[in-house]
């Protein structure tokens, strides 16, 4: 039985900051950010968007009567969850009106959570072929103003429906994974910004890629020539290119050119969004699928990396007419309708936060075009609205 990605939804908040202007404000050469890091714009979430609302807005695009009836498992992958106990998925379950007899959980392993969810979803579908699983990947990446990691922040979500006979991509059974206890990036429960050893995290990303790629090839008997494209977890777009370059020599000149071209296309969305942690790899995949017509039957490689660290290399095969099931116009509109923030306004938005002392607050959602918004906090409980209801 084929199991894989049946639908993909995506959401970004309404604001962004231009990396050239951020570079100027931070006293660095713009090329360091646009070429050295490889980012053009960074998505910024207003206070009315959190990982729950971003995920719910991403999922809204892909739900229809059939999926509402069949989704019986919701898995929410996030690094920036809003509660240390309750799953962010339970809020989304309610906001989307999913059926009550569903399981809902949150998955955590830095940027790897959504990949774990997809692999678990495959098992669920294998046992329950009529079911569909909603996998949510949603994060607001925060390192703090004036930190080295600041230029690799971002905000956004990807929602995937995993099912039997998927219409977009069937996942291969073979995958290679690795766990190693390292402190390259982490976020203690008392901190709302990540701690990171930037250089070490880059080294480990590349080392994990090298190891899982080698193991994947051994397990599968496949080689670089079997891939139409390889998509990467992209904390910033330059790093995936560095990883790709480590294996390019395994292929002929034609294979190398094809993989470099398709890598570039897979980074176009990420360049304009920034790091969205768990969703980042799936944004790379979406960027490629939305912006290039690839042949059905083509194999796409996927490298997932979650600091701390877990890495996985897996793959999938594009299905016939897969482009008919993408929401390309909607994604184009999301990008076109964003508003640029000056650096000083971005700093204000970044520093706005909900109270943590038990006091209640209402936030104004009038200027937020998103259907699903956070409206405030009341007695430590986040309040949400779906304006479409
Ligand atoms: N023109 C062109 N390039 C320039 C330049 C210029 N004028 N000035 C500098 N550069 C280049 C540098 O040569 C360098 O390129 P190389 O990496 O190819 O050498 C690049 O710009 C970045 O320069 P630095 O290394 O000096 O930058 P930095 O010290 O400010 O830190 C960073 C960069 C480590 C990525 C930092 O932003 C950071 O810590 N980010 C967060 C951590 C992160 O994203 N890690 C990725 C792996 S971990 C992971 O994947 C999980 C996750 O999501 C966090």
């Amino acid at each position: 039985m084929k199991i894989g990605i049946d639908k993909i939804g995506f959401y970004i908040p309404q604001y962004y900051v231009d990396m050239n202007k951020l570079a100027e404000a931070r006293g660095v050469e713009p090329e360091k950010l646009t070429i050295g890091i490889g980012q053009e714009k960074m998505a910024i979430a207003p206070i009315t968007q959190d990982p729950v609302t971003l995920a719910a807005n991403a999922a809204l695009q892909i739900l229809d009567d059939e999926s509402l009836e069949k989704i019986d498992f919701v898995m929410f992958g996030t690094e920036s969850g809003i509660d240390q106990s309750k799953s962010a998925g339970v809020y989304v379950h309610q906001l989307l009106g999913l059926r009550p007899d569903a399981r809902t959980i949150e998955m955590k392993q830095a940027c790897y959570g959504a990949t774990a969810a997809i692999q678990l979803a495959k098992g669920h579908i294998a046992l329950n072929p009529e079911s569909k699983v909603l996998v949510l990947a949603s994060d607001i990446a925060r390192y703090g103003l004036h930190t080295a990691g600041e230029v690799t922040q971002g905000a956004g979500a990807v929602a995937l429906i995993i099912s039997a006979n998927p219409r977009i991509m069937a996942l291969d059974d073979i995958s290679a994974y690795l766990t190693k206890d390292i402190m390259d990036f982490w976020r203690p429960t008392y901190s709302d910004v990540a701690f990171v050893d930037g250089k070490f995290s880059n080294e480990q990303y590349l080392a994990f890629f090298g190891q899982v790629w080698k193991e994947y090839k051994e397990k599968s008997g496949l080689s670089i020539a079997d891939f139409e494209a390889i998509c990467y977890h992209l904390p910033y777009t330059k790093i995936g290119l560095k990883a790709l370059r480590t294996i390019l020599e395994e292929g002929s000149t034609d294979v190398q050119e094809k993989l470099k071209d398709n890598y570039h296309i897979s980074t176009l969305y990420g360049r304009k969004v920034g790091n969205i942690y768990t969703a980042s790899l799936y944004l790379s995949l979406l960027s490629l699928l939305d912006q290039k017509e690839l042949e059905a039957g083509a194999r796409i490689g996927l490298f997932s990396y979650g600091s701390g660290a877990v890495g996985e290399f897996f793959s999938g095969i594009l299905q016939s007419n897969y482009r008919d099931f993408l929401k390309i116009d909607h994604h184009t509109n999301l990008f076109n309708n964003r508003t640029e923030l000056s650096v000083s306004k971005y700093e204000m938005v970044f520093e706005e936060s909900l109270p943590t002392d038990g006091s209640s607050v209402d936030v104004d959602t009038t200027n937020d075009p998103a259907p699903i918004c956070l409206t405030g906090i009341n007695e430590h409980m986040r309040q949400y609205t779906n304006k479409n209801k």
Side-chain angles (χ1 to χ4, degrees):
M1 176 172 50
K2 284 187 195 173
I3 303 174
I5 300 172
D6 193 50
K7 287 186 179 177
I8 311 183
F10 161 56
Y11 195 75
I12 33 170
Q14 78 203 96
Y15 297 135
Y16 72 88
V17 70
D18 185 301
M19 298 309 266
N20 290 292
K21 293 179 187 164
L22 186 58
E24 197 185 323
R26 297 295 179 252
V28 298
E29 288 176 3
E31 293 77 16
K32 174 176 175 185
L33 307 193
T34 55
I35 300 169
I37 297 285
Q39 294 299 128
E40 270 169 48
K41 292 175 180 171
M42 189 166 84
I44 312 292
I47 194 142
T48 47
Q49 291 295 310
D50 69 5
V52 166
T53 59
L54 293 170
N57 286 311
L60 270 185
Q61 306 311 319
I62 54 171
L63 292 181
D64 55 16
D65 289 345
E66 193 206 358
S67 38
L68 283 170
E69 188 194 316
K70 293 198 167 166
I71 290 170
D72 64 356
F73 199 174
V74 181
M75 281 186 269
F76 194 121
T78 186
E79 183 277 348
S80 47
I82 54 148
D83 193 291
Q84 293 181 43
S85 170
K86 179 169 171 169
S87 160
V90 172
Y91 295 94
V92 177
H93 177 274
Q94 188 274 331
L95 283 163
L96 298 177
L98 299 179
R99 56 189 253 199
D101 57 336
R103 269 190 201 124
T104 301
I105 57 169
E106 186 168 306
M107 309 287 286
K108 179 170 68 181
Q109 177 34 55
C111 310
Y112 175 75
T115 301
I118 288 171
Q119 298 297 1
L120 287 188
K122 277 173 67 185
H124 180 75
I125 302 295
L127 291 173
N128 306 278
E130 294 302 316
S131 294
K132 290 181 190 283
V133 180
L134 179 62
V135 172
L136 302 160
S138 180
D139 271 307
I140 299 179
R142 289 170 67 89
Y143 291 93
L145 303 176
H146 302 275
T147 63
E150 180 182 25
V151 299
T152 61
Q153 299 177 134
V158 171
L160 304 131
I161 293 181
I162 308 296
S163 74
N165 304 315
R167 285 170 282 191
I168 296 177
M169 187 162 102
L171 294 166
D172 289 320
D173 286 341
I174 291 191
S175 75
Y177 30 88
L178 176 69
T179 296
K180 202 169 156 194
D181 182 7
I182 56 168
M183 296 305 278
D184 61 331
F185 164 107
W186 67 103
R187 189 164 66 81
T189 47
Y190 51 80
S191 178
D192 73 345
V193 291
F195 287 68
V196 62
D197 181 341
K199 305 283 176 220
F200 182 52
S201 70
N202 288 341
E203 275 166 35
Q204 290 300 313
Y205 177 105
L206 296 174
F208 268 66
F209 174 65
Q211 225 168 311
V212 292
W213 168 247
K214 183 170 174 282
E215 194 185 325
Y216 174 93
K217 285 186 297 177
E218 282 165 12
K219 277 182 166 176
S220 65
L222 297 172
S223 77
I224 195 167
D226 292 302
F227 290 88
E228 185 66 26
I230 299 179
C231 295
Y232 289 85
H233 163 57
L234 293 180
Y236 55 96
T237 66
K238 179 78 173 289
I239 197 168
L241 182 61
K242 285 187 184 178
L244 179 64
R245 281 179 181 153
T246 63
I247 62 167
L248 276 179
E249 278 186 0
E250 296 173 22
S252 65
T253 315
D254 285 354
V255 169
Q256 294 190 23
E257 287 311 310
K258 178 178 70 180
L259 290 177
K260 278 194 284 187
D261 286 352
N262 288 338
Y263 174 76
H264 174 70
I265 296 166
S266 78
T267 64
L268 295 175
Y269 282 176
R271 281 185 76 87
K272 296 188 284 186
V273 173
N275 193 359
I276 49 172
Y277 292 156
T278 42
S280 161
L281 168 62
Y282 302 98
L283 186 60
S284 308
L285 175 65
L286 192 59
S287 181
L288 177 68
L289 300 185
D290 275 4
Q291 290 168 102
K292 184 162 179 187
E293 205 162 328
L294 299 168
E295 279 188 26
R299 176 173 277 109
I300 312 291
L302 298 144
F303 173 58
S304 183
Y305 178 74
S307 289
V310 179
E312 179 156 350
F313 190 91
F314 62 113
S315 55
I317 305 286
L318 293 177
Q319 302 299 290
S320 308
N321 307 318
Y322 70 92
R323 282 174 68 86
D324 295 348
F325 303 98
L326 299 170
K327 309 275 179 191
I328 301 172
D329 291 346
H330 176 68
H331 302 152
T332 308
N333 288 338
L334 277 175
F335 281 111
N336 290 345
N337 294 333
R338 291 197 293 177
T339 305
E340 182 180 346
L341 294 182
S342 64
V343 173
S344 58
K345 194 76 209 291
Y346 141 66
E347 291 173 349
M348 278 168 59
V349 172
F350 186 89
E351 288 192 326
E352 229 184 324
S353 59
L354 293 169
T356 52
D357 60 0
S359 51
S360 299
V361 71
D362 292 328
V363 289
D364 183 7
T365 63
T366 321
N367 293 326
D368 189 335
I372 297 180
C373 295
L374 174 82
T375 57
I377 189 160
N378 185 14
E379 294 183 354
H380 300 284
M381 290 177 273
R382 286 182 187 230
Q383 309 295 312
Y384 295 104
T385 185
N386 182 346
K387 295 176 190 166
N388 287 348
K389 277 196 177 164

